[in-house]
Amino acid sequence: MAEEIATSKKLFLNAKKNGCHNVIDFKEKLQDFDCTLTGLHRGKYRMDMMESDCAIKKFDVDRTKASTFSLIKNVRHTNIVTVRNFYDEVGQPRFVLSWVDGSLTAWVKSEGAKMLFKKSWTGRSPTPTFRQIVIDLCAGLEHLFEKGIYPIRIGVEDMFVRKAGRKPSVQLLITKAKSFVESDKVGSKNIQNGLWKQMRDAIKDIFKDHLDSQNSNDSVLSRFFEHIAEGGAKKLQNYPLDWSEKDKAKYLLKIIAIDKSEVQQKLSKVNIVWPPETVSGKLPSPLREMKVHEMTRAHPASYDVKIPYDYLKICKNMIKHWWVLPEDVKEDIIQAPDGDKKFGIICVTLHDKEESTQLTAS
């Protein structure tokens, strides 16, 4: 390993001497979005006639950095900070990185929150930008896995932002990595599962100060965070985090149109229950009013509060018969301050051969 560091240093100095590569260290730390200082230093990187801003990550004596560099030097992904070169200074390793503007944590605190959450009649709800940031971070980790590489750990300190106009680009910084053992499939899967959980915890930590635990939308958001731990950016793409009420209604009707026995089989695998009764032993509003209204119809539907499928059915009938519902029922739904208390939140997971689709209907 000592030879690897010496060789990397020698190669870099030779390139520097020949005028091919040169790095200028300004000896000052990069200022973050909240005016604090990051753990990176500002610099300039020259390749032949081209010059660009760069960040420099400095380490104390660490003999593992050369092997990490050899693993990730050719990794190129929009959501991973590029390690452009490696050298050491008085025995201390240095990574020459592509430019970043600051940490994700500071960006969220200083200016990002207003882009990530919007006000709605039920409180704050996440924007498409928020969703994309989370998916992009997961896409970066997924790319490493596809290359047979994994970071030793993932934390909030490894997440950075590169500003491109008004749209932020989030990137993972990898400073210590290893290769999967190809023959150990079980061990590799366990490592990946552990890193997905670290990814989830880091993202939750970054956004914890911007969420209201009493808000029903944040309850949906909490489930979205938990979904990260299941692994994969593609899975998150279909998660109904920012579905409109129309999207939710359409999907609920789609589910009810499926063969009843198939839906019931899927429901048995997830925790779908009717909302708890009130202290007086009655269903909460507007489910109570909906059941009363049902009895006025020529062919009323029956609902058993012990059967999860019937919960979907009564919600479906609220949508289907909306225009003929009594005004007090419709008003109660529209003015509901908290979807969790009024309906509970339905999450139905339907699995087919290729994808997992989830429904959230409030």
Side-chain angles (χ1 to χ4, degrees):
M1 191 62 67
E3 290 182 1
E4 286 186 23
I5 292 180
T7 302
S8 298
K9 179 181 179 182
K10 181 179 179 181
L11 289 173
F12 184 86
L13 291 177
N14 284 344
K16 184 176 179 180
K17 181 178 179 181
N18 294 333
C20 298
H21 299 260
N22 188 21
V23 64
I24 302 173
D25 182 355
F26 293 129
K27 305 293 183 180
E28 60 183 33
K29 287 191 174 182
L30 172 67
Q31 183 171 287
D32 217 334
F33 294 104
D34 59 359
C35 297
T36 61
L37 297 178
T38 68
L40 305 177
H41 286 71
R42 294 177 58 248
K44 286 280 187 183
Y45 187 56
R46 291 174 181 164
M47 297 177 61
D48 296 323
M49 300 300 293
M50 298 179 63
E51 180 179 280
S52 59
D53 292 329
C54 72
I56 301 172
K57 178 64 176 177
K58 300 181 178 182
F59 307 95
D60 294 330
V61 176
D62 187 340
R63 297 184 179 279
T64 67
K65 298 308 177 189
S67 60
T68 293
F69 174 69
S70 67
L71 282 176
I72 64 176
K73 63 182 179 182
N74 294 320
V75 173
R76 297 292 184 272
H77 191 274
T78 306
N79 305 115
I80 297 177
V81 179
T82 300
V83 181
R84 304 172 70 180
N85 219 318
F86 168 88
Y87 69 104
D88 68 40
E89 189 173 287
V90 197
Q92 296 179 328
R94 306 283 190 256
F95 281 177
V96 181
L97 310 172
S98 57
W99 180 255
V100 294
D101 292 296
S103 68
L104 178 58
T105 301
W107 178 78
V108 170
K109 289 180 178 179
S110 62
E111 59 185 85
K114 60 185 178 184
M115 296 177 60
L116 303 176
F117 302 97
K118 60 185 178 182
K119 292 183 179 180
S120 68
W121 65 277
T122 54
R124 289 187 303 173
S125 59
T127 65
T129 300
F130 169 85
R131 180 195 191 96
Q132 195 58 51
I133 281 178
V134 175
I135 290 174
D136 286 348
L137 288 170
C138 292
L141 181 59
E142 203 167 54
H143 181 75
L144 288 174
F145 291 163
E146 290 170 357
K147 294 292 184 182
I149 301 169
Y150 67 93
I152 299 304
R153 67 176 303 278
I154 293 176
V156 296
E157 66 277 5
D158 303 313
M159 299 176 179
F160 290 85
V161 170
R162 175 76 185 269
K163 296 183 70 174
R166 296 185 62 185
K167 292 185 177 181
S169 173
V170 289
Q171 298 181 329
L172 289 174
L173 173 59
I174 309 302
T175 59
K176 193 171 183 179
K178 289 185 177 181
S179 296
F180 288 115
V181 177
E182 191 172 348
S183 60
D184 187 6
K185 301 296 183 182
V186 175
S188 296
K189 187 62 177 178
N190 289 337
I191 290 171
Q192 291 183 36
N193 290 341
L195 286 166
W196 282 123
K197 291 177 181 178
Q198 289 182 26
M199 173 71 81
R200 173 202 61 194
D201 293 344
I203 292 174
K204 286 174 68 175
D205 191 41
I206 287 175
F207 293 106
K208 66 182 179 182
D209 294 333
H210 303 273
L211 303 177
D212 179 2
S213 60
Q214 302 302 315
N215 183 4
S216 62
N217 279 323
D218 290 351
S219 298
V220 176
L221 198 58
S222 295
R223 278 189 295 277
F224 178 66
F225 286 145
E226 293 306 315
H227 207 57
I228 295 172
E230 296 184 16
K234 293 176 183 177
K235 287 186 177 181
L236 291 176
Q237 288 284 2
N238 290 330
Y239 193 90
L241 178 62
D242 51 4
W243 278 9
S244 67
E245 299 305 314
K246 184 177 181 180
D247 291 331
K248 298 173 187 177
K250 286 171 62 178
Y251 194 69
L252 179 55
L253 294 176
K254 177 182 176 182
I255 287 179
I256 292 295
I258 298 173
D259 182 77
K260 181 178 178 180
S261 61
E262 182 181 344
V263 176
Q264 288 179 319
Q265 182 181 6
K266 302 299 182 184
L267 284 173
S268 66
K269 298 179 181 179
V270 292
N271 185 29
I272 300 297
V273 295
W274 283 70
E277 295 180 344
T278 63
V279 291
S280 59
K282 297 180 179 180
L283 278 175
S285 178
L287 300 179
R288 180 174 65 252
E289 290 83 355
M290 183 63 199
K291 286 193 69 175
V292 171
H293 169 70
E294 193 72 50
M295 300 308 299
T296 66
R297 299 176 58 211
H299 303 285
S302 60
Y303 306 107
D304 187 335
V305 296
K306 296 180 180 179
I307 300 177
Y309 183 84
D310 283 4
Y311 185 28
L312 268 65
K313 187 168 68 174
I314 194 171
C315 290
K316 180 266 294 184
N317 284 337
M318 286 186 188
I319 299 168
K320 184 178 179 180
H321 303 295
W322 176 260
W323 297 112
V324 296
L325 288 180
E327 290 302 317
D328 61 334
V329 177
K330 290 195 287 188
E331 182 178 354
D332 195 78
I333 296 172
I334 293 172
Q335 295 182 358
D338 188 332
D340 267 335
K341 293 178 181 177
K342 294 298 178 180
F343 287 108
I345 295 181
I346 302 173
C347 288
V348 178
T349 306
L350 297 179
H351 295 278
D352 57 25
K353 293 181 180 179
E354 297 181 354
E355 65 179 2
S356 169
T357 310
Q358 292 205 4
L359 161 71
T360 300
S362 58

